[in-house]
Amino acid sequence: MTRRKKLLLYGALLLVGLAIFILEIFVFQKPDGTLGLILCLISVAMILGGLIRLCQLSDTFENVFWAILDLLT
């Protein structure tokens, strides 16, 4: 798989994870029970996995990510 396809794949993984997390928290208001916990854990794992792989594959993304974290803190 080419580097560009990997970047697109992990970027999509990050966006899907964020979308699931935002929908779960703000649209469904409060995920209850085991299903809510599983959805939350899967979405957080997708977000972290996407971020880590994008930082490993792209120096530009890594620099932008660290700059955004510096701005937030």
Side-chain angles (χ1 to χ4, degrees):
M1 191 181 293
T2 64
R3 185 172 181 260
R4 180 171 170 78
K5 286 184 182 180
K6 285 183 182 180
L7 285 172
L8 289 174
L9 176 70
Y10 290 115
L13 182 71
L14 174 66
L15 290 177
V16 168
L18 279 172
I20 290 171
F21 189 75
I22 289 171
L23 282 174
E24 187 177 4
I25 299 299
F26 295 114
V27 174
F28 303 132
Q29 293 296 317
K30 54 180 178 177
D32 290 335
T34 308
L35 181 63
L37 176 66
I38 291 171
L39 281 174
C40 188
L41 290 176
I42 289 172
S43 64
V44 168
M46 289 172 68
I47 293 168
L48 290 176
L51 278 174
I52 290 169
R53 288 299 291 168
L54 283 173
C55 284
Q56 288 176 348
L57 289 172
S58 174
D59 290 334
T60 305
F61 182 83
E62 184 178 6
N63 291 336
V64 169
F65 177 68
W66 287 116
I68 290 171
L69 281 181
D70 284 343
L71 269 172
L72 292 175
T73 55

